């Protein structure tokens, strides 16, 4: 028995080429509109503040890199090597990615008070896969007679538009910030429960599936049968704007200016949820299903009969129309900025919730101003990923500034061995 890994491998190869946690670069833009993306309590410097066309990608894996699970043929072309793949796994691994497109953000400051507003289009996803699933695909079930395998993948994907309005208030050394965000979902896949066990009997090699698997989708997944599943990849869209899949969230932030050089900050982002009511589907497979084999007489006399068709027919999958809701992937941050002359030093700790899994990230950076250019290095530490050396640059031309940052510059040029990579860029205007 072999499992089709199309979804697992395509998702993995796609997401790892995207990007993961480049927020320290936004902290370096304190005083500009992008600084409020990370913390609405970071005060704006000027009366009029605009951000145009901000774009960020982040992604990676806590499992093997591309080079760890692929080989090259005689022509030098890389291919998926399942034997190599299966030798590089712990029980469960994840592949994750996210993107953020901000069309326009602006803020107007009136003394110690500021109003901010803007629009963003966000998409993020996570795929968890088990080593048992990969081993089964690589070797079949012959090596697992009398054993039980855990096969259930967990796929969570969400894309939505947000429109927000907020405010900042400075009192003495403190600045408090708040954003209220209206959300409009584009598409979603949500794995509610994931338990699929496969046991191969040692007596007659019967296959027994014990399933408790529920997955929900709005607009993204189309299920027809176990061998006919399609995906709509419209993760960047204005579909359902203002009328479907509504949600609400808030961002909270605060900063404290210790002295002329040091500023401390903290924030809580994306506290909210989305209710999915646009073609909401619930697909579930629950129960015990046993495959006894194929009758040899039927197999000989019926040329259209296949073992795979028979196996797929025994697994019951129900499809229902049912509304549901999902929480956003919230983030908590603690930051510190120290400026002295032409130098600035930044530290940022993040606690990120990604589809129920908590991730801890620490980023450090040092920036040097050279004329109209700011250049710097940044270093990020995350679980199973200690090679996050990145670059930051910002060029100021009068009221206009361009910025570009990556938290793992080597990952952008060495995709085969990278565990993560990121890039963020945009344009700001102040006067």
């Amino acid at each position: 028995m072999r499992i089709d890994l199309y979804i697992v491998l395509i998702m993995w190869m796609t997401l790892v080429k995207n990007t993961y946690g480049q927020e320290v670069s936004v902290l370096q833009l304190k005083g500009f509109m992008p600084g409020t993306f990370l913390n609405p309590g970071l005060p704006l410097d000027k009366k009029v503040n605009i951000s145009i066309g901000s774009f960020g990608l982040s992604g990676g894996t806590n499992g093997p890199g591309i080079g760890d699970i692929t080989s090259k043929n005689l022509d030098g072309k890389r291919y998926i090597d399942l034997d190599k793949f299966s030798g590089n796994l712990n029980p469960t691994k994840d592949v994750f990615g996210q993107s953020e497109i901000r069309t326009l953000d602006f803020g107007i400051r009136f003394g110690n008070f500021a109003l901010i507003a803007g629009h963003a289009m966000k998409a993020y996803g996570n795929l968890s896969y088990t080593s048992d699933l990969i081993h089964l695909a690589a070797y079949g079930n012959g090596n697992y007679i009398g054993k039980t395998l855990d096969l259930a993948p967990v796929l969570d994907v969400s894309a939505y538009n947000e429109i927000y309005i907020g405010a900042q208030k400075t009192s003495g050394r403190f600045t408090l910030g708040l954003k209220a965000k209206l959300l409009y979902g584009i598409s979603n896949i949500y794995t509610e429960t994931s338990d699929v066990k496969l046991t191969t009997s040692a007596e007659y090699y019967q296959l027994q599936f014990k399933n408790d698997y529920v997955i929900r989708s709005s607009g993204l997944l189309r299920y027809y049968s176990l061998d006919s599943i399609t995906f709509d990849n419209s993760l960047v869209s204005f579909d359902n704007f203002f009328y479907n899949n509504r949600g609400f969230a808030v961002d909270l932030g605060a900063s404290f200016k210790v002295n002329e050089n040091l500023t401390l900050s903290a924030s809580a982002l994306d506290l909210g949820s989305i209710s999915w009511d646009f073609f909401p589907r619930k697909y579930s497979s629950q129960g015990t299903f046993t495959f006894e084999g194929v009758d040899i007489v039927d197999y000989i006399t019926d040329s259209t009969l296949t073992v795979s068709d028979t196996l797929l027919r025994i697994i019951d999958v129900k499809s229902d129309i049912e509304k549901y809701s999902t929480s956003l992937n919230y983030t908590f941050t603690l930051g510190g900025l120290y400026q002295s002359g032409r130098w600035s030093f930044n530290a940022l700790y993040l606690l990120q919730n990604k589809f129920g899994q908590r991730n801890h990230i620490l980023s450090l950076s040092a920036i040097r101003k050279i004329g109209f250019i700011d250049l710097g290095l940044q270093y990020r530490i995350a679980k199973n990923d200690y090679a996050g050396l990145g670059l930051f640059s910002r060029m100021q031309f009068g009221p206009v500034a361009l910025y570009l940052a990556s938290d793992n510059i080597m990952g952008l040029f060495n995709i085969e061995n990278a565990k993560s990579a990121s890039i963020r860029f945009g344009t700001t205007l102040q006067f």
Side-chain angles (χ1 to χ4, degrees):
M1 177 182 177
R2 305 184 72 83
I3 299 295
D4 184 356
L5 289 182
Y6 175 80
I7 297 175
V8 176
L9 299 180
I10 293 302
M11 284 288 294
W12 192 92
M13 297 293 286
T14 301
L15 290 178
V16 78
K17 288 183 178 180
N18 292 331
T19 56
Y20 162 60
Q22 71 281 16
E23 287 83 356
V24 71
S25 62
V26 182
L27 183 63
Q28 293 155 5
L29 293 164
K30 173 185 173 294
F32 297 82
M33 273 305 297
T36 65
F37 303 164
L38 179 71
N39 186 335
L42 289 175
L44 298 170
D45 286 343
K46 304 291 185 179
K47 182 176 181 179
V48 178
N49 305 265
I50 300 173
S51 174
I52 304 173
S54 172
F55 183 65
L57 283 173
S58 64
T61 178
N62 58 15
I66 293 178
D68 297 327
I69 56 93
T70 61
S71 298
K72 290 185 178 180
N73 59 23
L74 295 178
D75 296 329
K77 295 183 178 179
R78 194 171 292 276
Y79 65 94
I80 301 294
D81 188 337
L82 283 177
D83 288 339
K84 193 175 179 182
F85 196 169
S86 63
N88 281 279
L89 292 174
N90 288 327
T92 302
K93 288 300 179 184
D94 299 280
V95 181
F96 43 85
Q98 63 187 41
S99 66
E100 180 181 275
I101 302 172
R102 292 184 173 270
T103 55
L104 177 65
D105 299 86
F106 63 91
I108 301 177
R109 181 174 174 178
F110 307 94
N112 292 327
F113 183 79
L115 291 175
I116 55 178
H119 164 263
M121 189 179 298
K122 299 180 179 180
Y124 42 77
N126 189 88
L127 172 65
S128 297
Y129 58 91
T130 68
S131 60
D132 285 349
L133 178 62
I134 304 302
H135 290 154
L136 185 65
Y139 308 119
N141 65 329
N143 295 328
Y144 305 102
I145 305 302
K147 298 180 179 180
T148 298
L149 302 179
D150 183 2
L151 304 182
V154 178
L155 177 61
D156 291 292
V157 180
S158 192
Y160 60 92
N161 286 282
E162 72 172 35
I163 298 176
Y164 72 87
I165 186 169
Q168 294 181 342
K169 179 66 170 70
T170 299
S171 178
R173 297 182 180 183
F174 282 98
T175 299
L176 300 178
L178 168 68
K179 287 182 184 178
K181 306 193 289 190
L182 295 178
L183 312 176
Y184 300 94
I186 300 171
S187 53
N188 176 261
I189 294 178
Y190 166 55
T191 304
E192 186 172 284
T193 60
S194 58
D195 188 11
V196 176
K197 299 291 195 303
L198 169 63
T199 303
T200 303
S201 171
E203 184 178 4
Y204 297 112
Y205 307 112
Q206 303 101 319
L207 303 180
Q208 184 183 79
F209 291 89
K210 283 190 175 182
N211 294 355
D212 184 10
Y213 197 83
V214 178
I215 192 167
R216 298 177 181 269
S217 178
S218 173
L220 193 57
L221 175 68
R222 290 290 185 270
Y223 171 88
Y224 306 98
S225 63
L226 284 173
D227 57 349
S228 180
I229 300 174
T230 62
F231 291 88
D232 177 7
N233 60 359
S234 58
L235 297 179
V236 178
S237 169
F238 288 98
D239 291 350
N240 308 321
F241 217 23
F242 297 118
Y243 61 91
N244 279 118
N245 300 333
R246 298 182 180 90
F248 179 78
V250 296
D251 291 350
L252 305 173
S255 63
F256 176 67
K257 193 171 184 178
V258 179
N259 52 45
E260 290 299 319
N261 302 106
L262 179 63
T263 300
L264 303 179
S265 63
S267 66
L269 310 175
D270 293 325
L271 305 178
S273 62
I274 298 177
S275 296
W276 301 92
D277 56 14
F278 181 73
F279 289 107
R281 295 292 192 271
K282 175 185 177 182
Y283 304 110
S284 58
S285 178
Q286 296 171 311
T288 300
F289 311 98
T290 302
F291 176 66
E292 301 287 352
V294 179
D295 189 294
I296 190 64
V297 175
D298 293 339
Y299 187 77
I300 293 174
T301 58
D302 188 352
S303 61
T304 64
L305 182 63
T306 66
V307 174
S308 60
D309 288 341
T310 305
L311 178 59
L312 292 175
R313 281 199 297 267
I314 70 167
I315 300 176
D316 183 32
V317 178
K318 295 181 180 180
S319 177
D320 300 291
I321 298 177
E322 187 175 293
K323 297 179 182 179
Y324 65 101
S325 64
T326 59
S327 299
L328 298 188
N329 287 336
Y330 59 81
T331 300
F332 296 104
T333 78
L334 291 173
L337 302 90
Y338 183 83
Q339 293 178 302
S340 178
R342 293 181 174 271
W343 285 95
S344 65
F345 303 91
N346 308 280
L348 180 66
Y349 166 76
L350 297 98
L351 171 60
Q352 295 180 327
N353 173 72
K354 292 181 180 293
F355 302 104
Q357 301 183 44
R358 291 187 175 183
N359 299 277
H360 302 270
I361 302 170
L362 176 63
S363 297
L364 305 170
S365 66
I367 310 297
R368 168 73 174 179
K369 179 177 288 296
I370 307 172
F372 66 95
I373 301 177
D374 291 353
L375 291 176
L377 292 175
Q378 53 193 48
Y379 180 68
R380 189 209 64 246
I381 304 173
K383 185 179 180 180
N384 298 324
D385 187 4
Y386 309 103
L389 182 62
L391 296 176
F392 173 84
S393 64
R394 184 174 67 89
M395 295 180 290
Q396 186 83 40
F397 304 97
V400 179
L402 307 175
Y403 64 91
L404 173 66
S406 172
D407 74 345
N408 188 358
I409 191 66
M410 298 304 297
L412 296 176
F413 298 99
N414 187 15
I415 295 296
E416 288 79 6
N417 297 314
K419 292 297 183 71
S420 67
S422 75
I423 189 169
R424 178 184 288 273
F425 59 86
T427 306
T428 64
L429 176 66
Q430 286 187 318
F431 53 88

